Amino acid sequence: MDAIILENIRIYTNHGCLTEESKIGSNYRVDLKVEADLSTSAESDQLEDTVDYVHLNAIIKQEMAIRSKLLEHVGKRILDRIFNELDMVNFAEVKVCKLNPPIGGDVEGVTILMTKHR
């Protein structure tokens, strides 16, 4: 199966369980991989024959802008939108990483990884 991968989408938003996180916000990184048959678009060179990565990026930005306590909740929303809006996608994997999380230690990031199949 062919894939389209969006890497290192950087977003500043306010997810988290702590009140401070909702007010201050923090930096996040999102990576997305979707699998679809890209053979038609490889031949036709037409946008309507592929999964538009601009559309994928818009879904990520819109869902990341909606506050959630848990990264898992955001990840599920991203996956659900992809499968509701893009019929060509057969599989998707999303990673949502909170950079420098407030967990009382020197941790670069905490990441959730979620997948969904059609």
Coordinates of all heavy atoms in Angstrom, one line a residue, residues 4-6 9 32 34 47 50-60 86:
I4 N 1.1 8.5 2.4 CA 1.4 9.9 2.4 C 1.7 10.2 3.9 O 1.0 9.8 4.8 CB 0.3 10.8 1.9 CG1 0.0 10.5 0.4 CG2 0.5 12.3 2.2 CD1 -1.2 11.2 -0.2
I5 N 2.8 10.9 4.1 CA 3.3 11.1 5.5 C 3.5 12.6 5.7 O 4.2 13.3 4.9 CB 4.6 10.4 5.8 CG1 4.4 8.9 5.5 CG2 5.1 10.7 7.2 CD1 5.7 8.1 5.5
L6 N 2.9 13.2 6.7 CA 3.1 14.5 7.1 C 3.9 14.5 8.4 O 3.5 13.8 9.4 CB 1.8 15.3 7.4 CG 1.0 15.8 6.2 CD1 0.3 14.6 5.5 CD2 0.0 16.8 6.6
I9 N 4.5 18.4 12.2 CA 3.6 19.6 12.2 C 3.7 20.2 13.6 O 3.3 19.6 14.6 CB 2.2 19.1 11.8 CG1 2.2 18.5 10.5 CG2 1.2 20.3 11.9 CD1 0.9 17.7 10.2
L32 N 1.7 12.3 10.9 CA 0.5 11.6 10.4 C 1.0 10.7 9.2 O 1.7 11.2 8.3 CB -0.6 12.5 9.9 CG -1.8 11.9 9.3 CD1 -2.6 11.0 10.3 CD2 -2.7 12.9 8.7
V34 N -0.9 8.2 6.3 CA -2.1 7.6 5.8 C -1.7 6.7 4.6 O -0.8 7.0 3.8 CB -3.2 8.7 5.3 CG1 -3.7 9.5 6.5 CG2 -2.7 9.5 4.2
L47 N -4.8 16.2 -8.8 CA -5.1 16.3 -7.3 C -6.3 15.5 -6.9 O -6.3 14.8 -5.9 CB -5.2 17.7 -6.9 CG -5.4 18.0 -5.4 CD1 -4.3 17.5 -4.6 CD2 -5.6 19.5 -5.2
T50 N -6.0 11.8 -5.6 CA -5.1 11.4 -4.5 C -5.7 11.9 -3.2 O -6.8 12.5 -3.2 CB -3.7 12.0 -4.7 OG1 -2.8 11.4 -3.8 CG2 -3.7 13.5 -4.6
V51 N -5.0 11.6 -2.1 CA -5.4 12.2 -0.8 C -4.6 13.5 -0.7 O -3.4 13.5 -0.7 CB -5.0 11.2 0.3 CG1 -5.3 11.8 1.7 CG2 -5.6 9.9 0.2
D52 N -5.3 14.6 -0.6 CA -4.8 15.9 -0.5 C -4.2 16.2 0.8 O -4.9 16.2 1.8 CB -5.9 16.9 -0.8 CG -5.4 18.4 -0.9 OD1 -4.2 18.6 -0.7 OD2 -6.2 19.2 -1.3
Y53 N -2.8 16.4 0.9 CA -2.2 16.6 2.2 C -2.5 17.9 2.7 O -2.4 18.1 4.0 CB -0.7 16.3 2.1 CG 0.1 17.0 1.0 CD1 0.5 18.4 1.2 CD2 0.5 16.4 -0.1 CE1 1.2 19.0 0.2 CE2 1.3 17.0 -1.1 CZ 1.6 18.3 -0.9 OH 2.3 19.0 -1.9
V54 N -3.0 18.9 1.9 CA -3.5 20.2 2.5 C -4.7 19.9 3.3 O -4.9 20.5 4.4 CB -3.7 21.2 1.3 CG1 -4.4 22.4 1.9 CG2 -2.4 21.5 0.6
H55 N -5.6 19.0 2.9 CA -6.8 18.6 3.6 C -6.4 18.0 4.9 O -7.0 18.3 6.0 CB -7.7 17.7 2.7 CG -9.0 17.5 3.3 ND1 -10.0 16.9 2.5 CD2 -9.5 17.6 4.5 CE1 -11.1 16.8 3.3 NE2 -10.8 17.2 4.5
L56 N -5.4 17.0 4.9 CA -5.0 16.4 6.1 C -4.4 17.4 7.1 O -4.7 17.3 8.3 CB -3.9 15.4 5.7 CG -4.3 14.2 4.9 CD1 -3.1 13.4 4.4 CD2 -5.3 13.3 5.6
N57 N -3.6 18.3 6.6 CA -3.0 19.3 7.5 C -4.1 20.2 8.1 O -4.1 20.5 9.3 CB -2.0 20.2 6.7 CG -1.2 21.1 7.6 OD1 -0.6 20.6 8.6 ND2 -1.2 22.3 7.3
A58 N -5.1 20.5 7.4 CA -6.2 21.3 7.9 C -7.0 20.6 9.0 O -7.4 21.2 10.0 CB -7.2 21.7 6.7
I59 N -7.2 19.3 8.8 CA -7.9 18.5 9.8 C -7.1 18.5 11.1 O -7.6 18.7 12.2 CB -8.1 17.0 9.3 CG1 -9.2 17.0 8.2 CG2 -8.5 16.1 10.5 CD1 -9.3 15.6 7.6
I60 N -5.8 18.3 11.0 CA -4.9 18.3 12.2 C -5.0 19.7 12.9 O -5.2 19.7 14.1 CB -3.5 18.0 11.8 CG1 -3.4 16.5 11.4 CG2 -2.5 18.3 12.9 CD1 -2.1 16.1 10.7
L86 N -12.3 11.4 3.9 CA -11.4 11.0 2.9 C -11.6 9.5 2.6 O -11.0 8.6 3.2 CB -10.0 11.3 3.2 CG -9.7 12.8 3.4 CD1 -8.4 13.0 4.2 CD2 -9.7 13.5 2.1

